[in-house]
Amino acid sequence: MLWRLETFGTLLAVAQNLFILCMEPVNSSCASCQRCPKDPLSKIRDQTRLMERKARDLSNSYVTHQGLHRNHIDTLCHEAVPGFPKGTIVTQPEMDMLQQLYRTMVYMNQSFQVIREHQQDLNEPDAILLQELRHAHLAVRGLLSNIVCAFCVQGASPSPVTIPERPTVTKAFQQKIEGCKVLWNYARFMERLTKSLRENRKQVQRTKMGRRQGKKKKASPGC
Amino acid sequence: MMNHFGLQTLLLCVTTCFCIYHTKESCVFPVTFLNVSKNSTLQRLLVEWDVSDSARESEQEMVFEIQVSQTEEKNVVWMEYYNTTLSKLNKPLFWSWDSELPLECASHSVRIRSKVAEVWSPWSSWETVLGLDTSDDDKPLIFPEDKVVQEGSNFTFCCIGGKNQKVETIIIDTRYPVSTPKRTIVRTINKVSLGAAGGQAIACTFAGSGYKNYTGTLLHVGRLPDEPKNIFCETRDMKTAKCTWKSGNNIYISGRYLAEYKLFDWFSQKTLCFEIQASRSKEWCVCSWDIHQQMTYNFTLTAENKLGKKSVNFSFDVAHRVYPFRPSDLWEEYVSASKVKLYWTMEPRDKAIDLICQIENNHPDGKVEWHNSSAVRSNTYANIMISGLQPYTIHKFRIRCGAAKHFWKWSEWSKNLTITTKEAAPSGKLDLWRDITPVVGGRNVTLFWKQLPGFQANGRNISYEITWENLEEATEPEHISISAPHNSTRICIGYHSYRISITAKNHINSSSPSEIIISGGTGNDAEEKINATDKEERVEGTDHRIWIHWQPKDTFDGYIVDWCNFPNSQPCDLQWKRSGFNTSGVLINAVAFVPGVRYHFRVFGSVANKASLLEKKIGYSKELPPSDPDVKIIGLIPYSVSLAWDSYRTDETQPGFIKGYNIYVKSLQGCNLKGSTKYMAPDGLVWCKYTIKNPEEKRFTVEHLVPSTAYQLAVKAVTGGGETPITQTVNINALDDLNMTYLPLVLGIIPFVLITAICFWKHKWLKDCCCQIPSPDAKVLSFDGFKVASETELKVSDCIPDVVTLESKSEAKKLNLWSQRTMQEERKTAVTDSSWLSLVPNEDRDFTCSSSDSEAGIWHLKNPVYLSSAAYDSLPYQNLHMLHTSEPQPLPLLYQPQHDIEIMNKDTVMPRREAMIGDTSLIYISQMEASCSGTRLNYLYCSTEPGECLGYNPSSDLVTSISDGDLEQYSPTFTSTTGTLLLD
């Protein structure tokens, strides 16, 4: 973990240097980073924290609006769908983590597109659920943008991802269930992600404090 | 013969047998073809069958019995007779059956037989449509899928498991376990109710291996669409038409199941619109199409959803429903100060629609005028001349148009065009009036003017040109110009007659002049008067209105009433009102009129612009209750009280005409005064009321009061507005009738005095008669024949004041000298009356016998007692002076012969009286033992306790008295503010 933090710090320094380099009007990959925030990782962390709560609310709202009973959810929705990584991605190296996050968000971007289309057939144009889906979709796009920025500031770009194919669903019930599954998995993923990030952050702080104390001990060996 | 008979019989038998056979053959037409299919969405079983051609050719009426069975066991669930007349055309025969159970849920079989002439054909074989409950598929299924049903209907569904699956649970609003798991389960929900917009989810879960372990469907519960309402169609440009209608009530199903609207034209046989309601909340639906050449339509508008449809028919003539576009580009061309020409453009430019337009003219005063144009073509520049406009006035114009033929509705208004018309000379006349004030050598005439109705300034920079000329002397007219907005000025004229004229002028020209003539007058006549008395008549008003009337005279051609809106201010805002020659009154209606203010009105008669004063009036628009008089009591004697309020003003300072006064009297006993009337105040109290009707009578005596009774009095002035409530009163106590009080006392005392006098006169005789009385000390008593029977006569012991005060040292000295002299004289003078004295040293100069309770009663001590300061030191009771001095001081020789002492605190003294009598500690010193510096006085014991009253020692040596005459000569009137000692 410590190593990862150091790597993270190094990467930040690299990103900083890259940012300085970006000041030069040269034809490089940095051109796309110009509109990126200074600290995309921090942005991603903040953004996921916000999205986690929204994702949970959206999942509940979706269920309510679909005429789905709690019993439906337990039986039909709580099922893993391919598209979300298994386990926590925070424990992976940072670039891998970003790539996994990127992949998941690309999947979610596409899923939101499909869910919104399905729901437009079932709801009024001004239905609250459609608005909530739109906002969540925009948030995913924003997160994707910041992930790309996080790659960008490190002079990289995310690898192209292949989205696992989902069976084409024509029946409205199945569409609802598919949406329910995706949103439930999305909420769980975001919950795990923010929890891991939070714990990771605490650990970083603890490590920093341990380092300071170690230095102090070295300075006063008699103690 | 026999052979012939036998042949005939054989032929008959053969014919009969043939006929029977033939009839049997032709009357039975069994079904030759039967096909059964299904429409899953509609849950409809479609049945086709046919009979033989010979049957068709026979064109007989036939009855077919159709049986429908479900499941493999061929349980008949439906039976129906189908009547038809066979023909060559209706081939094959068709029948359908709507199933409550989705057809996939079970196999459905159909068989048919026919009947001709009461003879049934044999049944056809069962023709079966297989359900999916018997398929070998692994995939679980549920039917129907995404079903839309009407609110309140029953909904039947089935779940079919995969090949090796059995239904475990059904989830609707909750989880329903299936008690006996089967591969297919059928359930019916009765009277479904409205639910989620996207449909209510229904699912089944399965046990066993299969493609997946659940399946589900959606149930959409809704209503039939409403019949379209408020349909109207119109065109704006004759190129496209548009129909609009209201969709009606919520059908509770949305998304793909919303109602569809179809507008079908029967003339062209075209569906012009196919509109799907965008959302449940979208109330209005719109359909538009190109008109081309078709001008009339016969429409059927159908609203349809999955549950059914409703339609409405109507026709539409485009030419009768033209709703033009809003006119634009409105501009003006000035023709004159009162005329303007307006131009505008219309749409469409590429089509010529005959339109009429309406121009709205908004005047600045809020007045609105409308002008209609003649028919104009939409593709031309239309114009209209608007005349009769007010010069130099802002006008707002706007315009709208409608079809000239078959008017349908106006277009929207165009944008406003605001113009200011050109200037012109002022029109109309001014109304001129004046107020004349005599001054030395002439008259000041204050001129007032206002614009008469119809007057228009018609331009900027208005000024008022005033000219006055002497009508008796040939002099040059004088002139003055006053700029607006001034509306008054003052000029000075002589005693001659003058003509004064006024015109309004702008930079174009002047208005017609208005004139008044002021009659000549000299000296005292210069002031306008009616007659010598100049009396003002009272008039009554209501809120903001006062009616002024006068005696009309034939000589006048009109009347003028003037008044001041603010009579107590300067300038008073003079107003005037004119009325015709045949009037005798005018209603002055002024918002400025304030209740409680007295207004003065002058009525002038006018002839040939010359006005003369006729009458004067005063009045209030509304009288108010006046202020209360300041009442003073000018006399209070037993049985009556006199009140006066002389200073009370009855003039115009009052908010109404004072009509008189009401005097109110009240006691605790209520109203029982003679000559009064009872009056119950709003608060319920009863008062005696006296009324004075003369405003100048400002005194009143209330009589018949009951002595020693408290009364409340109030005086209220009365106007037409009434009087103020009784809030402040004058309180009095009716005096006692002393004659009645003292008469019994006097009658009691006289006999006592007479007896006493007789006793004194015959005292020796009495002495001889009675037992012997011990003689006082002969040394002390030098007066012959004078003895004091202290215990029997001296009543000092009854009460001793706790404070005794002498007024001043000078007086004390005087008294001192007096006392010395008197003491010597006293030896020679027989004391004939008792005197009273009790002394206590005051802080510096006075002796005060104080009482802590100033409200205490008064005790009278008899017999004179002299207190000497010389004796003070030897006084064993130091508490005499402790009342008011912190340190004992030598008492100056002070005494004051007094013949009466009032000692306060009677109540507190009384209880101690008995205790102190006989107190042997008291020292009683003869005054004859006093040194030259003072006379020995009897020591009075003053307790430190408030109000303690002590007697003198009955065993004392000497008590002397002085005469009343001496006391009166030397004793100053003694008044103590503390009320402890009073000297009469």
Side-chain angles (χ1 to χ4, degrees):
Chain A
M1 180 64 77
L2 192 61
W3 178 85
R4 276 209 326 278
L5 289 169
E6 284 173 357
T7 311
F8 184 68
T10 312
L11 286 170
L12 278 178
V14 171
Q16 200 172 6
N17 291 333
L18 284 169
F19 179 75
I20 294 164
L21 287 172
C22 286
M23 304 298 283
E24 297 290 326
V26 292
N27 185 16
S28 70
S29 63
C30 295
S32 59
C33 302
Q34 282 179 352
R35 299 181 72 181
C36 287
K38 284 181 182 175
D39 185 5
L41 283 172
S42 173
K43 280 274 177 194
I44 288 167
R45 202 160 33 233
D46 295 343
Q47 210 172 355
T48 50
R49 201 166 55 241
L50 286 173
M51 287 168 71
E52 183 257 331
R53 188 168 53 81
K54 294 275 182 187
R56 194 172 58 240
D57 293 345
L58 176 64
S59 180
N60 292 332
S61 176
Y62 182 89
V63 168
T64 310
H65 283 87
Q66 300 308 306
L68 294 172
H69 194 263
R70 181 61 53 190
N71 293 306
H72 294 118
I73 317 253
D74 295 340
T75 311
L76 314 177
C77 293
H78 294 178
E79 184 182 298
V81 292
F84 293 97
K86 291 173 182 171
T88 177
I89 59 171
V90 179
T91 53
Q92 297 173 10
E94 188 169 295
M95 294 302 282
D96 291 348
M97 181 199 78
L98 283 173
Q99 181 62 36
Q100 285 278 9
L101 188 58
Y102 177 75
R103 183 179 172 280
T104 310
M105 288 302 122
V106 168
Y107 172 77
M108 275 314 297
N109 182 32
Q110 199 181 63
S111 295
F112 269 124
Q113 189 70 39
V114 174
I115 292 169
R116 287 177 67 190
E117 280 172 15
H118 290 163
Q119 290 301 315
Q120 273 164 5
D121 275 353
L122 296 170
N123 288 279
E124 296 293 302
D126 52 355
I128 294 170
L129 178 66
L130 293 183
Q131 292 176 29
E132 288 173 347
L133 285 168
R134 188 170 66 87
H135 292 152
H137 193 182
L138 285 172
V140 166
R141 286 182 183 174
L143 186 59
L144 269 175
S145 173
N146 282 332
I147 294 166
V148 172
C149 278
F151 276 105
C152 186
V153 293
Q154 295 180 37
S157 58
S159 307
V161 292
T162 308
I163 304 298
E165 276 193 19
R166 300 283 296 164
T168 307
V169 181
T170 54
K171 305 294 181 190
F173 175 81
Q174 204 55 40
Q175 288 172 350
K176 284 187 174 185
I177 296 299
E178 287 301 314
C180 183
K181 281 180 187 173
V182 170
L183 293 177
W184 180 74
N185 279 274
Y186 171 59
R188 281 192 68 200
F189 169 76
M190 293 306 293
E191 187 183 353
R192 282 202 309 269
L193 180 68
T194 48
K195 190 178 176 186
S196 303
L197 286 172
R198 196 161 49 238
E199 285 172 357
N200 192 11
R201 196 172 192 176
K202 283 179 186 171
Q203 202 162 0
V204 170
Q205 285 171 348
R206 276 198 296 271
T207 311
K208 279 184 180 175
M209 285 185 70
R211 270 189 190 170
R212 281 179 199 156
Q213 284 172 354
K215 281 180 183 176
K216 281 182 183 176
K217 280 180 184 176
K218 282 179 187 176
S220 55
C223 297
Chain B
M1 183 67 182
M2 278 296 290
N3 290 338
H4 180 72
F5 179 74
L7 183 62
Q8 279 185 334
T9 305
L10 182 65
L11 282 172
L12 181 65
C13 287
V14 169
T15 308
T16 305
C17 290
F18 177 76
C19 282
I20 291 168
Y21 174 77
H22 185 77
T23 305
K24 196 173 182 181
E25 277 288 312
S26 62
C27 292
V28 178
F29 300 111
V31 173
T32 56
F33 163 75
L34 175 62
N35 181 38
V36 181
S37 60
K38 66 182 178 187
N39 181 333
S40 293
T41 311
L42 298 175
Q43 295 182 197
R44 186 169 291 167
L45 208 57
L46 309 170
V47 181
E48 284 179 303
W49 73 99
D50 207 349
V51 290
S52 61
D53 290 342
S54 58
R56 291 187 175 281
E57 286 168 2
S58 67
E59 293 187 346
Q60 294 187 67
E61 280 190 8
M62 290 188 72
V63 178
F64 293 95
E65 184 182 359
I66 305 168
Q67 282 188 341
V68 179
S69 69
Q70 277 177 345
T71 71
E72 309 304 323
E73 287 76 32
K74 303 288 187 298
N75 300 324
V76 176
V77 292
W78 191 259
M79 191 274 289
E80 189 174 319
Y81 293 104
Y82 180 84
N83 298 315
T84 185
T85 303
L86 292 175
S87 74
K88 291 174 184 174
L89 295 175
N90 56 354
K91 187 181 179 183
L93 296 164
F94 181 80
W95 179 79
S96 66
W97 176 70
D98 290 339
S99 172
E100 280 189 11
L101 180 71
L103 298 175
E104 292 84 355
C105 296
S107 296
H108 286 75
S109 302
V110 177
R111 67 176 183 177
I112 303 173
R113 64 175 179 172
S114 63
K115 187 175 81 173
V116 177
E118 303 300 322
V119 179
W120 285 104
S121 74
W123 283 104
S124 69
S125 60
W126 288 104
E127 195 65 29
T128 303
V129 176
L130 288 175
L132 296 177
D133 55 334
T134 56
S135 73
D136 291 337
D137 200 346
D138 287 341
K139 192 177 169 184
L141 299 165
I142 187 168
F143 293 101
E145 291 177 328
D146 293 359
K147 181 76 174 174
V148 181
V149 296
Q150 196 164 348
E151 180 192 12
S153 62
N154 298 337
F155 172 68
T156 303
F157 67 97
C158 69
C159 294
I160 304 167
K163 188 178 177 184
N164 299 314
Q165 289 179 321
K166 289 183 176 176
V167 180
E168 194 176 43
T169 57
I170 299 170
I171 306 169
I172 306 172
D173 50 350
T174 185
R175 184 186 291 269
Y176 299 99
V178 175
S179 55
T180 313
K182 294 176 188 172
R183 187 182 177 191
T184 303
I185 290 288
V186 177
R187 290 284 184 274
T188 298
I189 305 171
N190 293 319
K191 292 182 180 177
V192 290
S193 54
L194 299 166
Q200 171 69 46
I202 295 170
C204 292
T205 61
F206 301 91
S209 61
Y211 174 74
K212 60 179 182 179
N213 61 355
Y214 75 90
T215 185
T217 187
L218 294 179
L219 171 63
H220 304 269
V221 183
R223 291 173 181 166
L224 270 170
D226 274 357
E227 189 178 276
K229 295 183 179 72
N230 303 91
I231 305 164
F232 70 91
C233 302
E234 63 192 14
T235 179
R236 304 207 73 166
D237 54 5
M238 299 293 278
K239 290 188 288 186
T240 57
K242 182 178 76 174
C243 285
T244 310
W245 63 88
K246 212 173 174 182
S247 58
N249 292 327
N250 190 356
I251 57 170
Y252 290 95
I253 42 179
S254 56
R256 71 179 79 160
Y257 302 112
L258 279 170
E260 299 165 355
Y261 292 90
K262 190 171 71 174
L263 187 64
F264 180 76
D265 174 39
W266 291 94
F267 290 152
S268 62
Q269 289 291 311
K270 283 181 183 173
T271 298
L272 294 179
C273 285
F274 188 76
E275 172 85 5
I276 297 173
Q277 191 183 4
S279 71
R280 288 190 304 185
S281 56
K282 191 183 170 190
E283 198 179 13
W284 288 92
C285 299
V286 178
C287 168
S288 60
W289 70 95
D290 291 335
I291 294 170
H292 301 299
Q293 300 300 317
Q294 186 180 352
M295 297 299 285
T296 55
Y297 296 85
N298 193 10
F299 283 130
T300 294
L301 176 61
T302 306
E304 184 174 6
N305 67 3
K306 295 281 181 187
L307 298 172
K309 61 182 177 184
K310 285 187 180 172
S311 57
V312 61
N313 299 315
F314 62 98
S315 58
F316 170 47
D317 189 337
V318 176
H320 290 205
R321 293 288 183 269
V322 178
Y323 174 41
F325 285 117
R326 162 206 299 248
S328 57
D329 304 330
L330 186 62
W331 80 97
E332 82 287 357
E333 181 187 328
Y334 293 103
V335 178
S336 70
S338 60
K339 276 186 184 176
V340 68
K341 198 171 188 180
L342 297 177
Y343 296 85
W344 66 96
T345 57
M346 297 167 292
E347 294 287 338
R349 307 294 297 170
D350 55 349
K351 282 250 182 184
I353 306 173
D354 288 335
L355 300 170
I356 54 165
C357 296
Q358 188 178 59
I359 295 93
E360 185 183 87
N361 177 10
N362 285 281
H363 292 258
D365 57 0
K367 199 175 106 183
V368 181
E369 283 179 357
W370 287 277
H371 306 268
N372 287 333
S373 75
S374 55
V376 290
R377 288 281 171 93
S378 63
N379 57 355
T380 60
Y381 286 102
N383 65 76
I384 187 171
M385 180 77 79
I386 308 290
S387 57
L389 300 177
Q390 188 62 48
Y392 194 62
T393 309
I394 296 169
H395 291 266
K396 276 185 186 173
F397 293 101
R398 58 179 186 169
I399 192 165
R400 61 181 178 178
C401 298
K405 294 175 187 172
H406 313 297
F407 179 85
W408 162 234
K409 63 164 84 165
W410 289 111
S411 69
E412 301 96 338
W413 285 106
S414 69
K415 287 180 182 174
N416 277 325
L417 171 70
T418 304
I419 63 165
T420 305
T421 47
K422 302 290 181 190
E423 293 184 60
S427 58
K429 292 179 76 173
L430 295 170
D431 185 3
L432 182 64
W433 186 237
R434 84 294 184 279
D435 184 39
I436 302 168
T437 311
V439 292
V440 178
R443 291 170 291 177
N444 272 343
V445 179
T446 307
L447 296 169
F448 302 90
W449 58 90
K450 59 188 177 188
Q451 296 171 355
L452 281 171
F455 177 87
Q456 296 294 337
N458 292 343
R460 292 164 289 178
N461 303 324
I462 288 289
S463 64
Y464 300 102
E465 307 298 320
I466 298 156
T467 307
W468 63 100
E469 60 177 320
N470 192 331
L471 297 177
E472 297 173 23
E473 285 183 357
T475 55
E476 278 293 311
E478 293 183 76
H479 174 263
I480 189 171
S481 179
I482 307 291
S483 62
H486 293 103
N487 60 357
S488 69
T489 188
R490 180 182 289 175
I491 60 171
C492 186
I493 61 172
Y495 295 120
H496 294 130
S497 296
Y498 281 83
R499 176 191 287 120
I500 303 172
S501 69
I502 185 169
T503 60
K505 184 182 176 186
N506 62 15
H507 73 267
I508 302 290
N509 212 336
S510 297
S511 67
S512 323
S514 298
E515 289 182 352
I516 55 170
I517 291 170
I518 294 175
S519 305
T522 55
N524 296 332
D525 292 341
E527 190 171 356
E528 291 179 299
K529 287 184 177 176
I530 308 164
N531 50 41
T533 59
D534 211 9
K535 190 181 175 185
E536 291 177 312
E537 188 187 342
R538 288 182 180 182
V539 289
E540 289 185 1
T542 56
D543 285 344
H544 302 299
R545 291 176 180 183
I546 299 174
W547 176 258
I548 306 295
H549 53 88
W550 57 83
Q551 291 292 327
K553 292 180 182 174
D554 295 337
T555 51
F556 296 116
D557 57 13
Y559 299 92
I560 301 125
V561 178
D562 75 359
W563 71 95
C564 283
N565 267 347
F566 306 103
N568 301 323
S569 304
Q570 201 54 247
C572 67
D573 188 18
L574 185 80
Q575 302 289 318
W576 70 99
K577 191 168 186 177
R578 293 178 184 273
S579 65
F581 68 94
N582 55 354
T583 56
S584 62
V586 67
L587 183 66
I588 308 295
N589 190 352
V591 179
F593 283 162
V594 177
V597 173
R598 185 179 289 184
Y599 294 96
H600 299 259
F601 300 90
R602 296 186 298 178
V603 182
F604 294 85
S606 169
V607 57
N609 295 328
K610 189 188 290 183
S612 52
L613 184 61
L614 291 179
E615 295 176 24
K616 285 187 174 181
K617 314 275 182 184
I618 53 172
Y620 296 84
S621 65
K622 184 182 180 184
E623 291 186 61
L624 298 178
S627 59
D628 289 342
D630 183 16
V631 181
K632 289 178 181 170
I633 296 171
I634 56 170
L636 180 61
I637 57 173
Y639 304 110
S640 70
V641 60
S642 296
L643 309 171
W645 54 94
D646 297 333
S647 60
Y648 190 70
R649 296 177 67 173
T650 57
D651 57 7
E652 62 188 35
T653 57
Q654 295 295 350
F657 298 116
I658 302 292
K659 292 180 173 176
Y661 307 94
N662 288 332
I663 295 95
Y664 297 95
V665 185
K666 183 171 75 69
S667 69
L668 285 175
Q669 286 74 34
C671 174
N672 50 8
L673 298 177
K674 287 179 186 174
S676 67
T677 56
K678 280 190 179 178
Y679 166 75
M680 182 173 281
D683 56 5
L685 296 175
V686 178
W687 296 77
C688 290
K689 179 180 174 183
Y690 300 94
T691 303
I692 300 173
K693 292 187 176 176
N694 180 5
E696 300 308 321
E697 191 181 324
K698 298 176 184 175
R699 291 183 177 222
F700 187 78
T701 300
V702 182
E703 294 178 328
H704 309 297
L705 300 179
V706 178
S708 298
T709 305
Y711 286 94
Q712 288 181 306
L713 299 118
V715 178
K716 295 283 169 187
V718 183
T719 66
E723 60 186 79
T724 55
I726 302 168
T727 51
Q728 290 186 338
T729 57
V730 177
N731 298 330
I732 61 153
N733 278 314
L735 290 184
D736 288 341
D737 188 351
L738 292 176
N739 293 335
M740 294 301 291
T741 305
Y742 293 115
L743 185 62
L745 190 64
V746 170
L747 291 174
I749 288 172
I750 288 171
F752 176 75
V753 171
L754 286 172
I755 292 165
T756 307
I758 292 166
C759 291
F760 185 73
W761 182 41
K762 295 291 184 183
H763 69 280
K764 285 185 178 177
W765 177 78
L766 281 172
K767 189 180 174 184
D768 295 339
C769 287
C770 300
C771 58
Q772 279 202 330
I773 299 167
S775 177
D777 190 353
K779 285 182 182 178
V780 177
L781 289 174
S782 58
F783 304 108
D784 292 334
F786 181 82
K787 289 178 180 176
V788 175
S790 60
E791 281 205 75
T792 56
E793 191 171 336
L794 191 61
K795 299 295 180 187
V796 173
S797 62
D798 285 349
C799 180
I800 292 177
D802 53 356
V803 177
V804 178
T805 305
L806 283 181
E807 268 302 305
S808 66
K809 285 182 179 178
S810 59
E811 289 166 357
K813 285 176 183 174
K814 202 184 286 181
L815 287 170
N816 191 12
L817 295 171
W818 173 82
S819 64
Q820 291 176 34
R821 181 169 56 86
T822 306
M823 294 303 285
Q824 291 167 357
E825 290 172 359
E826 279 174 348
R827 294 190 178 104
K828 301 171 185 176
T829 309
V831 176
T832 57
D833 197 359
S834 58
S835 295
W836 310 82
L837 182 61
S838 175
L839 298 174
V840 172
N842 201 345
E843 192 169 3
D844 52 8
R845 62 187 177 94
D846 293 340
F847 286 140
T848 304
C849 186
S850 67
S851 166
S852 63
D853 186 1
S854 61
E855 298 296 324
I858 299 169
W859 280 81
H860 297 265
L861 294 180
K862 284 188 175 180
N863 294 342
V865 197
Y866 302 133
L867 179 63
S868 169
S869 63
Y872 176 79
D873 292 337
S874 60
L875 190 68
Y877 303 98
Q878 295 298 320
N879 52 1
L880 176 69
H881 66 275
M882 284 166 65
L883 285 168
H884 292 287
T885 54
S886 57
E887 293 179 5
Q889 294 177 358
L891 276 171
L893 179 60
L894 293 175
Y895 75 92
Q896 190 165 351
Q898 296 157 36
H899 59 282
D900 196 2
I901 299 171
E902 288 184 13
I903 298 175
M904 308 306 294
N905 212 353
K906 177 175 73 177
D907 295 336
T908 53
V909 165
M910 279 301 286
R912 297 295 300 262
R913 178 188 170 194
E914 297 299 327
M916 299 311 295
I917 289 174
D919 188 343
T920 53
S921 62
L922 286 174
I923 296 172
Y924 194 73
I925 302 168
S926 168
Q927 293 146 20
M928 297 306 291
E929 291 179 359
S931 63
C932 60
S933 61
T935 305
R936 291 292 299 271
L937 297 176
N938 290 337
Y939 284 98
L940 290 177
Y941 180 79
C942 287
S943 167
T944 53
E945 290 184 30
E948 191 126 17
C949 191
L950 304 171
Y952 87 138
N953 194 336
S955 61
S956 299
D957 303 328
L958 174 65
V959 174
T960 57
S961 297
I962 58 173
S963 67
D964 277 336
D966 293 334
L967 288 168
E968 285 172 3
Q969 186 179 354
Y970 294 103
S971 170
T973 303
F974 189 98
T975 306
S976 170
T977 53
T978 56
T980 54
L981 188 71
L982 288 175
L983 304 178
D984 288 338

